[in-house]
Amino acid sequence: MKGNNKLKAGMAMVLVTGALLAACSNKETPAASEKPAESGKPATSQPSPSAAKRGEITASIYDRGNIPAEEGTPIKNRWTDWLNKNGPTDVNFISVPRNESEKKLNVLLASGGAPDIMFEYSAPFKNQLYSQKQLMPLDDAINKYSTEYKKLLEKYPALKKLGMKDDGKLYGLGYVAPLDTNHVLYVRNDWLKKLNLSVPQTTEELYQVIKAFSAQDPDGNGKKDTYGINLSFVGGQIVSAMFGYSEFGVNGGNYVHQWDRAAANYTFKKKLYDDGLVDKDFLTDNSGEKAQQDFVNGKLGMFGANGGANALGYKVYESFKKNNPDGEIIAIPLPKSEFGQFSPAINPPIFITTVVNAVAKDPEAIIKYIDFLAKDSTGKTLKYGIEGTHYQVGANGCPAPIQPISTKEVSWTADYRMMSSPMAEGDCARYISQLDPSKPLDKEFTAIIKSSDAAYLQAERPIYYDIDQNSMPSLPQDLLLVNTNGTKAINDIWSKAIVGGASYTIEKALADAKSAWEKAGGLKVDEFYQKWYADNKANVVHTKEWYTK
C-alpha cells in the first residue's frame, strides 16, 4: 500500500506478539456443533464456585443465512461455544436479520428485550439510538474495568473521537484497520486494446470509451449487445464519486447541500441513458445482480465491483474468467471531473461497530467481554480458527487457510469479530495475503488488488465524501422524518430525470428537487447541519484524516 499513512506504519507496534503466539499454540479445537438451542444460551455444566461469579450478558449477532446447516445457527455454533468457554462472561446471543437489523433492534428495544451489546454497522441508526437516550455512556466503565480497549483508545485518539457524541461522552466502540480498498471500477482492458483506446483520464474521455464499448462490437459477435458501464448499485455510486458527489459536503468551510455536484452527476448519467449506453432497466437492479451477470457473461465493459479487491471481487473475477478466458480486467483511478479527482468508497481505517444498551445491568461483564473481543489472540482465532486444524502459517508468515475445512467452519465468522482490530495483523490482515501467486488466477487477481490500492488509497485522490459517517450527528426526531421524506422525494426526481428523455431536463429536475426539499422542510435540515459543523468542526473526523493518522 502506498502513501504516508501512519496507521500502516504503526501496524507492527499494535501487534501483541505474546497473545498471537498463545493463539497459535492453542491446539484445542472448539466444541463440535451441537443441535441449536432455542434460547441461544450457552451449554453449561454444574458451575464451580469461580464459574458462578461470571457475569451473564446478551449480545446481538447478524443472521446472514451463511452458516452451513451442520454448523448450527448464529446463536449456537462452534464459535459461540468457544466464546463462552474462553471468554470472561456467559453470553446469550440474540439473532438479528442482517437486512432488517434496524427494524428488529427497534422492536426489541420497544419490548424491553434488546441485547446488552448491540453490534451494528449503521451510523445513522446508532445516532438515532443516542438521540432517543437508549445508549449507555461508557467512559466510567472503561476507565474502571478495561485494559485492552483502554490501550487502544490511548494509542488511537481518533477512535475515541469517533465514538464520542455531542455531550462529550463515549458511546461507540470499534476497531482500527489499515486503509483498504472497497469499491473498484473494473475495466475490460482487452476491449480497450481491441478498439485502440487509452485508459480514460477525464469524465469526457470516459464517456467516449463507454460509447465505444457499446457501439463498436468489442466482443466481436456482430451484434449490438454490449453496454459500457452499469448504473445500478455500486456502478452508479462510482459514477457519483467521480463528481465528488454526496448529498452534503464541506465547501468554503461550511457543510452545505451540494446541488451543483448533483446536477453534474445526473447530467452525465442521463446522457449515458439517452444515448443507449447503459441497461435501460438499471433502476430495477437494486442489488446490482443483473449487472454482475452481464459482466461475467462478457456483455459489460466496465463494472462497479463491491469488495472488488477482496474475496467478493475474487468470486466475480473467477466467474468472469470461466466465461471469458481471454478477457483481461484492470482497475483504474476514477477519471477527473470539473470538481477534481476522487476515489470511490474505501474501507475506513477506524470504524464504530458497537454500542451498549442504556438499561444493561452489568457494565463490568460487558466491558470485560469487549476487552476479550478486542484482544489480538481472540480476533485471530475467530478469523482463522485453530492452527493445524483450520490454518497453517504460510511462506509469507501469514495464516493460510486449510481447505475445505476452513471455508466450512470459519469463513462465516466476521460478525463475531466486529471489535477485532485488523491493524494488529499488519499486512496479513489484507486479503492479498491469502492468495497464492503460483496459481494463475491468484496471480492475476493480485495485480488487480495492487492496482486498486494504487488507484484509490491516495491522499491526492481522496474519497468522495468529506466526513466520516460515524462523526455525523443525530438529527432531532422531527428533522429525521423531514430528511427521510425529502431525500426520497429528491431521489425519485433524479431517477425520473435520467429516464425522462428530452421532455424532462436536468435543469427542470434540479428546480423540482430544490422545491421538493423546501416543501418537505429540508431547509431546516440544511440549517441544522451548517450550525452543527460550525460548532463542532474541530471534533469531527474528516475523511482526509484517514490518510495521515
Side-chain angles (χ1 to χ4, degrees), residues 185-190 192 199-200 209 213 295 301-303 328-332:
L185 181 58
Y186 288 166
V187 178
R188 289 288 300 266
N189 194 43
D190 55 319
L192 289 176
V199 172
V209 171
F213 281 177
F295 179 70
M302 299 183 188
F303 175 66
E328 181 183 351
I329 301 302
I330 58 174
I332 69 168

Side-chain angles (χ1 to χ4, degrees), residues 117-181:
I117 304 177
M118 291 176 277
F119 295 100
E120 172 60 48
Y121 285 114
S122 171
F125 179 68
K126 288 176 287 192
N127 281 339
Q128 172 191 320
L129 298 185
Y130 165 72
S131 67
Q132 295 171 347
K133 301 186 183 305
Q134 297 194 84
L135 301 183
M136 178 183 292
L138 300 170
D139 307 75
D140 292 343
I142 288 174
N143 287 334
K144 188 173 181 180
Y145 303 120
S146 175
T147 54
E148 294 290 333
Y149 196 74
K150 187 187 296 185
K151 287 190 294 185
L152 204 62
L153 291 175
E154 292 169 352
K155 186 171 182 63
Y156 298 102
L159 179 62
K160 184 173 184 178
K161 185 163 74 166
L162 204 60
M164 292 173 62
K165 292 301 181 185
D166 53 16
D167 63 356
K169 297 179 181 179
L170 182 71
Y171 290 86
L173 310 175
Y175 63 77
V176 184
L179 274 179
D180 197 20
T181 306

Side-chain angles (χ1 to χ4, degrees), residues 15 36 42 116 127 149 164 171 179 181 204 247 331 399 423 434 444 450 481 505:
L15 187 63
D116 297 320
N127 281 339
Y149 196 74
M164 292 173 62
Y171 290 86
L179 274 179
T181 306
E204 291 82 2
E247 189 174 0
M423 183 64 77
Q434 303 299 314
E444 293 168 12
K450 290 180 177 179
L481 183 61
T505 65

Side-chain angles (χ1 to χ4, degrees), residues 229-528:
I229 195 171
N230 67 302
L231 290 185
S232 59
F233 195 40
V234 171
Q237 295 173 31
I238 285 178
V239 172
S240 297
M242 293 179 195
F243 296 91
Y245 173 59
S246 56
E247 189 174 0
F248 289 87
V250 178
N251 285 284
N254 298 311
Y255 194 63
V256 297
H257 221 121
Q258 300 193 112
W259 295 110
D260 55 344
R261 299 190 182 198
N265 169 49
Y266 289 107
T267 295
F268 188 81
K269 290 178 177 177
K270 181 177 178 64
K271 184 172 178 61
L272 295 179
Y273 185 89
D274 286 346
D275 293 349
L277 311 183
V278 295
D279 184 359
K280 294 291 186 182
D281 298 323
F282 79 92
L283 287 174
T284 61
D285 186 25
N286 295 322
S287 66
E289 181 63 28
K290 183 177 186 299
Q292 181 172 308
Q293 289 304 311
D294 287 342
F295 179 70
V296 301
N297 289 328
K299 300 303 178 184
L300 193 60
M302 299 183 188
F303 175 66
N306 188 31
N310 62 36
L312 290 174
Y314 186 91
K315 290 180 180 179
V316 173
Y317 185 70
E318 185 177 34
S319 297
F320 170 83
K321 291 296 287 186
K322 286 180 180 178
N323 293 333
N324 308 273
D326 296 325
E328 181 183 351
I329 301 302
I330 58 174
I332 69 168
L334 300 193
K336 185 178 181 179
S337 71
E338 60 265 41
F339 300 101
Q341 190 170 22
F342 305 92
S343 291
I346 63 177
N347 292 318
I350 300 174
F351 203 92
I352 301 301
T353 60
T354 309
V355 290
V356 174
N357 195 329
V359 299
K361 293 181 173 58
D362 195 345
E364 179 178 1
I366 289 169
I367 297 302
K368 287 183 177 179
Y369 182 62
I370 291 295
D371 264 20
F372 177 67
L373 294 180
K375 288 178 64 175
D376 299 335
S377 56
T378 302
K380 184 175 183 180
T381 300
L382 290 174
K383 183 175 182 178
Y384 300 110
I386 306 302
E387 185 177 4
T389 299
H390 300 102
Y391 77 91
Q392 57 193 7
V393 179
N396 60 0
C398 298
I402 298 173
Q403 302 296 359
I405 190 170
S406 178
T407 296
K408 176 184 174 183
E409 298 183 359
V410 188
S411 65
W412 40 268
T413 61
D415 295 325
Y416 296 94
R417 46 187 168 86
M418 288 171 65
M419 282 297 302
S420 174
S421 289
M423 183 64 77
E425 292 187 72
D427 289 339
C428 294
R430 309 197 68 233
Y431 179 70
I432 193 171
S433 72
Q434 303 299 314
L435 299 177
D436 182 353
S438 68
K439 298 178 180 179
L441 196 69
D442 284 22
K443 183 178 180 180
E444 293 168 12
F445 197 72
T446 294
I448 291 176
I449 294 175
K450 290 180 177 179
S451 60
S452 298
D453 291 349
Y456 307 134
L457 303 182
Q458 307 299 326
E460 62 269 22
R461 294 190 293 271
I463 190 172
Y464 67 99
Y465 57 88
D466 297 302
I467 297 177
D468 189 307
Q469 294 303 292
N470 281 285
S471 261
M472 292 300 295
S474 54
L475 287 168
Q477 195 63 36
D478 59 332
L479 294 187
L480 183 63
L481 183 61
V482 166
N483 186 62
T484 300
N485 293 338
T487 300
K488 182 180 184 305
I490 290 173
N491 290 340
D492 288 345
I493 289 169
W494 288 127
S495 296
K496 177 183 174 183
I498 293 175
V499 302
S503 64
Y504 196 44
T505 65
I506 291 296
E507 291 75 17
K508 172 62 173 169
L510 178 60
D512 289 348
K514 288 182 176 180
S515 176
W517 181 247
E518 292 179 12
K519 288 180 181 177
L523 294 182
K524 294 179 180 179
V525 176
D526 294 347
E527 293 169 1
F528 176 90

